[in-house]
Amino acid sequence: MNTRFEYLLRLGDDALILGQQLGLWTGHGPVLEEDIALTNIGLDQIGQARAWLSLAGKAENQGRDEDRLAFHRNQEGFRNALLCERPNGHFGDTIVRQFLFDAYAVPLHAALAQSNDAEIAAIALKSAKESAYHLRHSRAWLVRLGDGTEESHEKVQASLDLMLPFAGDLFFSDEVTTAATDEGWGPDPSDLRADWEAILSDTLSEAQLRRPDAVPEQIGGRQGRHTEQLSFLLAEMQVLPRTYPDAKW
Amino acid sequence: MEMDLLQRFEAYVASEKKIEPKDWMPDAYRKTLIRQISQHAHSEIVGMLPEGNWISRAPSLKRKAILMAKVQDEAGHGLYLYSACETLGVQRDDTIADLHSGKAKYSSIFNYPTLTWADIGAVGWLVDGAAIMNQVPLCKCSYGPYARAMVRVCKEESFHQRQGFQIMMTLAQGTEEQKAMAQDALNRWWWPSIMMFGPPDDNSPNSAQSMAWNIKRFSNDELRQKFIDLTVPQAELIGLTIPDADLKWNEETGHYEHGPIDWDEFNRVIAGHGPCNKERLDARNKAWDDGAWVREAAGAHAEKRAARKAAANTAAA
């Protein structure tokens, strides 16, 4: 197995799937400032996806570029964590999904910035600035919604109950992540869990939200076992390059 | 007294000076600006919908990123323009409520559908191109906040116009299917785009007063002519055909002559009977209604915070 390719694919696919979903909010946000913010965060995610997928293509060395990887893989080839493919739902669902991801992305990018691979470190350094801002945004909204009205509190508590079981997939560990730590080019996500837990518990307390009782976690994205949503998402995202395989855009 | 003020105002405007929010202005001037700037803001916001429609299906990651950045720019334009409107004494939420109720208008062009990826090229090239023609003169408009907002808007719009043209050029040089897609988009967007300049000069009710107040600088027909003269050679350059059998170059005038414009269609779409009027307004209303609990929560949270801070200060004192 090309562990480096697999590892980079996971990074790229998380960003791609989130960016794809955030883009759907453009023009439909609860207030104009949030149309701008969600689109902007989505744009950062697409930018990160392009960087990671390009690097993945190089690591694979089969001539696949970012677009070939984004538009010509089937769902079983995607390596994003299941959390990223949870549907947008309402604004609170999107904020919780993003918060759970951002709280992982911040320690992830910090660790990747220490990579012994200069290209990985460079992408991570740029991404770290973005993820710090994303976390500030999603955290602030989680607190507003959690400690807002009774309605918003109940809604966002339900979003948290819904999303949390899918977050465990972010910390999945296997031979790919072991290779990353052994060879020094990236962290094992399971080592990021403590940082993530700290951000989570601090934020939930400020938002006056309850940590849901532990339930079995849903795992599978890193191995290409996805939820029902992904196939729809890919059908929409990939429609043009699949319909016109010879075209350049 | 009032007469004095009016004369002074008119002389001031005629001398190319800017009116600022706290200056005296005639009620009709204020109303005209509120109507125009809010319509402009609404057009930016409703205009996000037909283009946003293709974000999820953009054919490459680069195109997706460019389109997201572009539509985000339009939201930013909406923000400046709503802010410019607020300097005239109306609140953003009230202005938006007028859009949602159907009382306020927005540019009719956004009531047409974006059916293929080529429409994203055509909208950037033609619709943003026409918008620039209309908006560049507004950078010198007599109302300061509007004029200043327009400077930034125009810079971004001209970037969008080039991006749109670049999409069309790529398609026109592409496969047979892509070429057909580009031509079809031009066929559908050409006439609505040249209608964007508004009714012909002999039938434009608000024009004379706006010209006198230095809000409007060129007539609808002058701007339309300028747009056509600029755009026809661009279409020729990339091998696309303008869908107007009567279009011809007039050596003497140095302008293109165009065929008759279907003003019945224009009036029909403005009156609410375009292909997407209902969809666009429904989408805006849905976003606003679905977001009500979010805005209420933000308000409630801000109040709680302020109350806690006040309580802490009292306790400390």
Side-chain angles (χ1 to χ4, degrees), chain B residues 83-103:
Chain B
S83 302
C85 225
E86 289 193 322
T87 67
L88 291 159
V90 289
Q91 294 306 308
R92 200 215 291 187
D93 283 3
D94 296 334
T95 312
I96 289 178
D98 286 345
L99 168 69
H100 291 166
S101 71
K103 185 178 156 202

Short mmCIF file of all heavy atoms in Angstrom, two decimals, chain B residues 83-103:
data_model
loop_
_atom_site.label_atom_id
_atom_site.label_comp_id
_atom_site.label_asym_id
_atom_site.label_seq_id
_atom_site.Cartn_x
_atom_site.Cartn_y
_atom_site.Cartn_z
N SER B 83 -25.50 49.10 3.55
CA SER B 83 -24.92 50.08 4.48
C SER B 83 -25.07 51.50 3.92
O SER B 83 -25.42 52.43 4.65
CB SER B 83 -23.45 49.80 4.74
OG SER B 83 -23.30 48.51 5.27
N ALA B 84 -24.80 51.64 2.62
CA ALA B 84 -24.96 52.96 1.99
C ALA B 84 -26.40 53.43 2.13
O ALA B 84 -26.69 54.59 2.40
CB ALA B 84 -24.56 52.91 0.52
N CYS B 85 -27.32 52.49 2.01
CA CYS B 85 -28.74 52.79 2.13
C CYS B 85 -29.08 53.25 3.56
O CYS B 85 -29.89 54.14 3.75
CB CYS B 85 -29.50 51.52 1.80
SG CYS B 85 -30.88 51.77 0.74
N GLU B 86 -28.44 52.62 4.52
CA GLU B 86 -28.71 52.98 5.92
C GLU B 86 -28.29 54.42 6.22
O GLU B 86 -28.87 55.07 7.08
CB GLU B 86 -28.00 52.00 6.88
CG GLU B 86 -28.68 50.63 6.86
CD GLU B 86 -28.26 49.70 7.99
OE1 GLU B 86 -27.05 49.73 8.35
OE2 GLU B 86 -29.10 48.96 8.51
N THR B 87 -27.29 54.93 5.48
CA THR B 87 -26.89 56.33 5.71
C THR B 87 -28.00 57.29 5.30
O THR B 87 -27.96 58.47 5.62
CB THR B 87 -25.61 56.69 4.91
OG1 THR B 87 -25.91 56.66 3.51
CG2 THR B 87 -24.45 55.76 5.22
N LEU B 88 -29.00 56.78 4.57
CA LEU B 88 -30.12 57.64 4.16
C LEU B 88 -31.30 57.48 5.12
O LEU B 88 -32.39 58.00 4.86
CB LEU B 88 -30.54 57.28 2.74
CG LEU B 88 -29.50 57.66 1.68
CD1 LEU B 88 -29.69 56.86 0.40
CD2 LEU B 88 -29.55 59.16 1.38
N GLY B 89 -31.09 56.71 6.19
CA GLY B 89 -32.10 56.66 7.24
C GLY B 89 -33.07 55.49 7.18
O GLY B 89 -34.10 55.51 7.81
N VAL B 90 -32.72 54.45 6.38
CA VAL B 90 -33.59 53.25 6.41
C VAL B 90 -32.79 52.07 6.96
O VAL B 90 -31.58 52.00 6.77
CB VAL B 90 -34.14 52.89 5.00
CG1 VAL B 90 -35.18 53.90 4.57
CG2 VAL B 90 -33.03 52.78 3.99
N GLN B 91 -33.46 51.16 7.65
CA GLN B 91 -32.79 50.01 8.26
C GLN B 91 -32.71 48.85 7.28
O GLN B 91 -33.62 48.63 6.49
CB GLN B 91 -33.56 49.57 9.52
CG GLN B 91 -33.54 50.59 10.64
CD GLN B 91 -32.12 51.02 11.02
OE1 GLN B 91 -31.27 50.17 11.28
NE2 GLN B 91 -31.87 52.32 10.99
N ARG B 92 -31.61 48.08 7.40
CA ARG B 92 -31.40 46.96 6.48
C ARG B 92 -32.56 45.97 6.54
O ARG B 92 -33.05 45.52 5.50
CB ARG B 92 -30.10 46.24 6.82
CG ARG B 92 -29.58 45.40 5.68
CD ARG B 92 -28.89 44.11 6.11
NE ARG B 92 -27.62 44.31 6.79
CZ ARG B 92 -26.80 43.30 7.11
NH1 ARG B 92 -27.11 42.07 6.78
NH2 ARG B 92 -25.70 43.52 7.75
N ASP B 93 -33.02 45.64 7.74
CA ASP B 93 -34.09 44.64 7.86
C ASP B 93 -35.38 45.10 7.17
O ASP B 93 -36.09 44.28 6.57
CB ASP B 93 -34.37 44.33 9.34
CG ASP B 93 -33.31 43.41 9.92
OD1 ASP B 93 -32.33 43.08 9.20
OD2 ASP B 93 -33.44 43.03 11.10
N ASP B 94 -35.66 46.41 7.25
CA ASP B 94 -36.87 46.93 6.60
C ASP B 94 -36.71 46.87 5.08
O ASP B 94 -37.65 46.52 4.35
CB ASP B 94 -37.14 48.38 7.02
CG ASP B 94 -37.43 48.47 8.52
OD1 ASP B 94 -37.91 47.45 9.08
OD2 ASP B 94 -37.18 49.52 9.12
N THR B 95 -35.51 47.23 4.63
CA THR B 95 -35.24 47.21 3.19
C THR B 95 -35.41 45.77 2.67
O THR B 95 -36.02 45.55 1.63
CB THR B 95 -33.79 47.68 2.92
OG1 THR B 95 -33.58 48.89 3.66
CG2 THR B 95 -33.56 47.95 1.46
N ILE B 96 -34.86 44.82 3.43
CA ILE B 96 -34.94 43.41 3.02
C ILE B 96 -36.39 42.92 3.06
O ILE B 96 -36.83 42.15 2.20
CB ILE B 96 -34.01 42.54 3.90
CG1 ILE B 96 -32.55 42.85 3.53
CG2 ILE B 96 -34.30 41.07 3.74
CD1 ILE B 96 -31.52 42.11 4.35
N ALA B 97 -37.14 43.41 4.07
CA ALA B 97 -38.56 43.01 4.15
C ALA B 97 -39.31 43.45 2.88
O ALA B 97 -40.18 42.72 2.39
CB ALA B 97 -39.20 43.61 5.39
N ASP B 98 -38.94 44.61 2.33
CA ASP B 98 -39.59 45.07 1.09
C ASP B 98 -39.24 44.16 -0.09
O ASP B 98 -40.07 43.95 -0.97
CB ASP B 98 -39.15 46.51 0.75
CG ASP B 98 -39.81 47.53 1.67
OD1 ASP B 98 -40.80 47.16 2.36
OD2 ASP B 98 -39.33 48.68 1.72
N LEU B 99 -38.03 43.64 -0.10
CA LEU B 99 -37.67 42.67 -1.14
C LEU B 99 -38.53 41.41 -0.99
O LEU B 99 -39.12 40.91 -1.95
CB LEU B 99 -36.18 42.30 -1.04
CG LEU B 99 -35.74 41.10 -1.89
CD1 LEU B 99 -35.78 41.44 -3.38
CD2 LEU B 99 -34.33 40.63 -1.52
N HIS B 100 -38.59 40.92 0.25
CA HIS B 100 -39.28 39.64 0.48
C HIS B 100 -40.78 39.73 0.21
O HIS B 100 -41.40 38.76 -0.22
CB HIS B 100 -39.03 39.18 1.92
CG HIS B 100 -37.61 38.77 2.14
ND1 HIS B 100 -37.06 38.60 3.39
CD2 HIS B 100 -36.60 38.52 1.27
CE1 HIS B 100 -35.79 38.26 3.27
NE2 HIS B 100 -35.49 38.21 2.00
N SER B 101 -41.36 40.90 0.44
CA SER B 101 -42.81 41.05 0.21
C SER B 101 -43.12 41.28 -1.27
O SER B 101 -44.26 41.25 -1.67
CB SER B 101 -43.35 42.21 1.03
OG SER B 101 -42.88 43.43 0.48
N GLY B 102 -42.07 41.53 -2.06
CA GLY B 102 -42.29 41.78 -3.48
C GLY B 102 -42.49 43.26 -3.78
O GLY B 102 -42.67 43.66 -4.93
N LYS B 103 -42.45 44.10 -2.74
CA LYS B 103 -42.66 45.53 -2.93
C LYS B 103 -41.47 46.17 -3.66
O LYS B 103 -41.64 47.00 -4.55
CB LYS B 103 -42.86 46.18 -1.56
CG LYS B 103 -43.20 47.65 -1.60
CD LYS B 103 -43.41 48.20 -0.18
CE LYS B 103 -43.16 49.70 -0.14
NZ LYS B 103 -42.83 50.18 1.20
#
